[in-house]
Amino acid sequence: MTKPINPYVVLALAIVLPGAGHVAVRDATRGLAFAFFVVLFSVLSYVTTTPETSFLGRHAGGLFVWALSIPDAYRRARIRSVMAPKA
């Protein structure tokens, strides 16, 4: 059995790219789902806002999902590291 990845590395990956933290903890399906919904909600919020809205406002939906994925990836990595058998 392989040693689980450091939760702080997973946290850094999740901050840099949505879904990357989940892929690092070998939960690729969940990571790809988060990445898909980041894109989907970014597009939806972009389409439903006016051109005068700021960049953050126009992509708020996707940024919100991305922000939700960061602690989720860290939590999953932390649980795996705590539950891993000690050698």
Side-chain angles (χ1 to χ4, degrees):
M1 186 147 185
T2 62
K3 182 180 174 191
I5 190 166
N6 186 332
Y8 292 117
V9 173
V10 173
L11 179 64
L13 288 170
I15 290 170
V16 172
L17 189 65
H22 290 92
V23 173
V25 292
R26 296 191 174 112
D27 199 356
T29 305
R30 190 173 182 92
L32 291 174
F34 267 114
F36 171 76
F37 283 108
V38 165
V39 172
L40 176 70
F41 284 111
S42 285
V43 170
L44 284 175
S45 61
Y46 184 84
V47 169
T48 58
T49 56
T50 61
E52 295 83 26
T53 309
S54 69
F55 177 83
L56 291 176
R58 292 199 82 171
H59 297 86
L63 294 171
F64 178 72
V65 175
W66 190 347
L68 289 176
S69 75
I70 293 169
D72 183 65
Y74 174 75
R75 181 178 47 89
R76 288 177 170 271
R78 182 78 177 140
I79 289 170
R80 287 184 190 227
S81 69
V82 168
M83 298 300 290
K86 305 297 180 210

